[in-house]
Amino acid sequence: MESQKFPKGFYFGAATSAHQVEGNNHNDWTEWEKSPERIADLKKRGLNPEGFISGRACDHYNRFREDFDIAKKLGHNAHRFPIEWSRVEPEEGKFDEKEIEHYHEVIKALRDRGIEPFVTLWHWTLPLWVRDQGAWENKKTAADFVRFCEKMAVEFKDEVRYWMILNEPEYWIGHTYALGIFPSGKKNILKIPLLYLRLARAHRFVYRKLKKINSDFQIGVVESTGWIEPFAARLFLSYVRNFLFPWLVKGYFDFFGLNYYRVNDLLYFLHHGKREKSEIGWEIYPEGICRLAKKAHRYFKKPIIITENGIADSTDTKRAQFIRAHLVEVERAISESVDIRGYFYWSLLDNFEWDSGFGPRFGLVEINYKTLERKPRQSAWEYAKIIAPQKYKEVN
Ligand code: BGC
């Protein structure tokens, strides 16, 4: 498996999200992490709340240059990350120029290293004033989000070509309203249809506005997918789990961002032990990435970018093989005429895993959370060898 097998100009990189790596954010999640209900719930489950407060995370906000130096050494030519809405617009309608400047520097640091920026406009966190007005349940939030996106697009129109509007909206809706494990922690399945329609409407608006600002922008939808087993369940659920949101915004995206981690086997109790698992129990099924890419290609006829694919593996015993096996499947899809343009491993760094705290380790780069020391794992070099085999022949 070598990069030569991929089309010329193929993007190889990794992804992060602001809240998970930057540190010292101030948004709906940071407040929720420290709320008495959340802390009580963690304690009830015998967990130490400290490990579930994002705090300074990886301090990527201050160390992004060091992190991009590592990405460059690892041969990456693309990087996916969000602009954090709560930093840029901490008060309604008041944009913080210093924070906007920060993201100019982030983008410049990437470009200086020959790394193409892929910018996400919403990766699950909201400014506090948006939370206080009822988050996405309030119709006004969609209008506010469109304004924020427009402002960012104007600001970065000459620096960024690839944009993603909403990260995995259906995953966020499900974890918030069906499972109640994302803030505010209150389930309400009756609100789900409204949320889908609202987020889809916001997406369509943003797409239209951004295209007017620069028709060359390449704008993606980012979908959380999972290969569903068994067949009978897949027939019905595959559309809901994998493709409902993109259907709602069909015609309003230039590429399909496919996030893929695992198989969701509804008969798991029967097949227990059959497949290998990650440290957080996610069953590994590399073929799924090829099969889902083929479906996305058939349904939407748009280029595909693998915007996330990764494994929690603190001992780094499975990651290299995981990446290799998934890239073989990506390559297989390409050889069967699926137009796949890039692959982003999740994640460049170990990071704050939302409701699961700092436990799961997804990073190509290990973070020592006490000293903040960064150390590329062996698997990061194995990935580098796939990207640039000649250059990394000698590494370990
Ligand atoms: C999310 C990431 C998250 C990853 C692993 C994805 O669905 O976009 O933010 O860290 O899954 O849980």
Side-chain angles (χ1 to χ4, degrees):
M1 154 91 347
E2 292 182 353
S3 63
Q4 280 95 322
K5 293 196 177 152
F6 292 87
K8 204 164 166 276
F10 192 84
Y11 289 115
F12 283 105
T16 59
S17 98
H19 187 70
Q20 295 179 268
V21 297
E22 281 184 347
N24 298 318
N25 275 314
H26 198 43
N27 55 36
D28 61 333
W29 271 84
T30 50
E31 294 279 293
W32 176 74
E33 288 156 17
K34 290 182 271 180
S35 67
E37 307 85 71
R38 170 70 173 157
I39 291 185
D41 175 53
L42 289 167
K43 283 190 175 154
K44 208 166 81 195
R45 291 192 272 144
L47 299 165
N48 179 357
E50 263 174 43
F52 296 81
I53 291 178
S54 54
R56 67 176 179 171
C58 311
D59 196 27
H60 176 71
Y61 184 84
N62 295 308
R63 295 167 195 244
F64 63 89
R65 289 188 186 85
E66 182 186 344
D67 294 335
F68 298 158
D69 281 343
I70 298 175
K72 185 180 174 195
K73 271 196 204 129
L74 295 172
H76 297 189
N77 63 359
H79 181 70
R80 177 179 173 227
F81 68 99
I83 293 178
E84 171 69 18
W85 186 6
S86 64
R87 281 190 189 278
V88 167
E89 194 183 354
E91 278 178 61
E92 182 173 357
K94 290 197 183 138
F95 288 90
D96 185 329
E97 293 303 326
K98 223 174 83 249
E99 294 292 355
I100 293 178
E101 190 44 41
H102 169 80
Y103 288 108
H104 278 294
E105 284 172 22
V106 168
I107 291 162
K108 180 170 182 310
L110 288 169
R111 291 228 173 268
D112 286 349
R113 288 160 181 77
I115 300 176
E116 180 74 31
F118 278 67
V119 173
T120 309
L121 287 159
W122 185 66
H123 200 124
W124 299 351
T125 47
L126 292 168
L128 292 175
W129 59 270
V130 175
R131 177 201 65 180
D132 293 342
Q133 71 187 15
W136 289 105
E137 287 175 36
N138 184 343
K139 205 169 161 192
K140 180 176 171 298
T141 294
D144 292 332
F145 179 65
V146 175
R147 183 186 58 212
F148 157 72
C149 294
E150 252 190 295
K151 168 97 179 155
M152 294 304 99
V154 170
E155 194 63 51
F156 297 102
K157 70 176 187 312
D158 301 322
E159 294 152 67
V160 175
R161 179 155 190 254
Y162 293 95
W163 299 89
M164 286 139 291
I165 302 173
L166 302 164
N167 179 67
E168 301 185 352
E170 69 306 311
Y171 194 88
W172 177 82
I173 293 173
H175 278 64
T176 306
Y177 290 93
L179 303 175
I181 54 181
F182 281 5
S184 62
K186 294 183 190 87
K187 291 185 202 175
N188 190 341
I189 54 167
L190 297 178
K191 288 192 175 152
I192 290 179
L194 175 80
L195 264 300
Y196 264 96
L197 297 177
R198 179 142 306 147
L199 286 162
R201 193 150 180 267
H203 174 108
R204 292 193 298 264
F205 261 101
V206 172
Y207 180 84
R208 277 201 297 261
K209 295 270 186 195
L210 264 58
K211 280 291 196 188
K212 272 197 199 133
I213 293 165
N214 184 347
S215 57
D216 284 342
F217 281 162
Q218 292 300 298
I219 304 169
V221 66
V222 176
E223 181 68 4
S224 151
T225 64
W227 183 255
I228 295 163
E229 287 287 355
F231 174 71
R234 185 162 66 247
L235 266 186
F236 168 68
L237 276 177
S238 187
Y239 293 95
V240 184
R241 167 77 174 86
N242 298 320
F243 300 112
L244 179 57
F245 193 82
W247 281 120
L248 294 175
V249 297
K250 194 163 188 253
Y252 294 84
F253 56 90
D254 305 315
F255 67 89
F256 186 100
L258 194 149
N259 289 0
Y260 178 79
Y261 288 85
R262 56 166 155 167
V263 57
N264 298 99
D265 190 345
L266 303 188
L267 298 180
Y268 175 70
F269 54 94
L270 287 181
H271 303 148
H272 186 63
K274 195 175 95 182
R275 297 189 195 93
E276 243 197 303
K277 281 192 281 185
S278 80
E279 255 166 30
I280 51 174
W282 292 2
E283 286 196 288
I284 302 169
Y285 180 63
E287 292 90 327
I289 204 168
C290 173
R291 299 174 83 171
L292 284 159
K294 278 163 74 177
K295 277 182 191 268
H297 172 72
R298 208 167 54 239
Y299 299 154
F300 303 107
K301 314 234 168 341
K302 292 285 177 194
I304 293 170
I305 294 180
I306 309 300
T307 35
E308 286 179 31
N309 173 236
I311 180 169
D313 179 22
S314 62
T315 54
D316 203 36
T317 44
K318 296 184 179 168
R319 186 173 290 101
Q321 179 50 24
F322 179 95
I323 295 175
R324 231 176 272 125
H326 284 80
L327 280 173
V328 164
E329 292 298 324
V330 169
E331 205 258 317
R332 187 199 310 278
I334 294 172
S335 72
E336 292 177 26
S337 304
V338 180
D339 181 6
I340 306 185
R341 309 247 173 119
Y343 172 89
F344 291 81
Y345 176 80
W346 180 274
S347 170
L348 178 63
L349 313 171
D350 282 340
N351 56 58
F352 178 73
E353 258 304 304
W354 306 109
D355 56 300
S356 308
F358 285 106
R361 299 280 187 150
F362 277 90
L364 290 173
V365 179
E366 181 180 359
I367 301 286
N368 177 328
Y369 289 113
K370 286 205 179 86
T371 61
L372 293 178
E373 192 199 338
R374 280 77 174 129
K375 191 164 167 246
R377 294 191 161 102
Q378 179 58 33
S379 54
W381 296 113
E382 297 299 324
Y383 179 32
K385 281 186 206 166
I386 298 171
I387 302 172
Q390 297 314 320
K391 200 165 156 198
Y392 293 101
K393 232 182 212 154
E394 303 310 325
V395 177
N396 294 322

